[in-house]
Amino acid sequence: MIDDALLSRPLAWKDAQFLLREKVEMIPDESDPAGVEMEVVEVAERGTAGSMRQFFVVFRGPADPVYPQRTYRFRHRQLGDYAFLVTPIARTDAGTDYEACFSHAA
């Protein structure tokens, strides 16, 4: 189970930009520490809404299996662990893409 401290750890915009083209590990099952390697293929701003900065991160994983929308633990070798709500958004021969969206005070 993902703990509250991890759920409340925000991904800052500067850290999101650092992740572009980096490999991360998604942990699909908290009871099994074996992860799935994913690559960050896109990081982009959606702009601001009032005082909120909005951005998204797209992760590309293997084509199969396709993981359902939910919150997963993600691990980066330098930045550590985060919990992201991801949604599968595309499936191609290259793999399955998952999007995570963020809003933070600017």
Side-chain angles (χ1 to χ4, degrees):
M1 185 167 158
I2 298 174
D3 60 46
D4 289 342
L6 191 59
L7 287 170
S8 64
R9 183 177 185 211
L11 178 68
W13 171 241
K14 68 178 177 68
D15 291 335
Q17 292 173 301
F18 174 80
L19 288 174
L20 187 59
R21 290 184 281 287
E22 289 280 311
K23 302 286 188 195
V24 295
E25 185 178 28
M26 183 185 84
I27 313 298
D29 181 354
E30 286 290 312
S31 66
D32 179 3
V36 175
E37 185 177 87
M38 295 197 170
E39 180 180 3
V40 177
V41 296
E42 186 176 4
V43 175
E45 279 192 286
R46 288 217 161 108
T48 56
S51 63
M52 301 298 286
R53 166 178 267 152
Q54 298 177 327
F55 61 94
F56 66 92
V57 177
V58 177
F59 303 90
R60 179 164 295 145
D64 288 307
V66 175
Y67 295 97
Q69 175 181 313
R70 74 176 184 94
T71 301
Y72 296 94
R73 179 183 298 265
F74 282 80
R75 180 168 291 140
H76 182 265
R77 58 184 163 70
Q78 290 176 303
L79 297 179
D81 287 11
Y82 289 89
F84 300 141
L85 171 66
V86 295
T87 302
I89 58 169
R91 188 171 180 212
T92 66
D93 292 340
T96 301
D97 289 354
Y98 300 85
E99 181 181 62
C101 298
F102 303 89
S103 292
H104 296 296

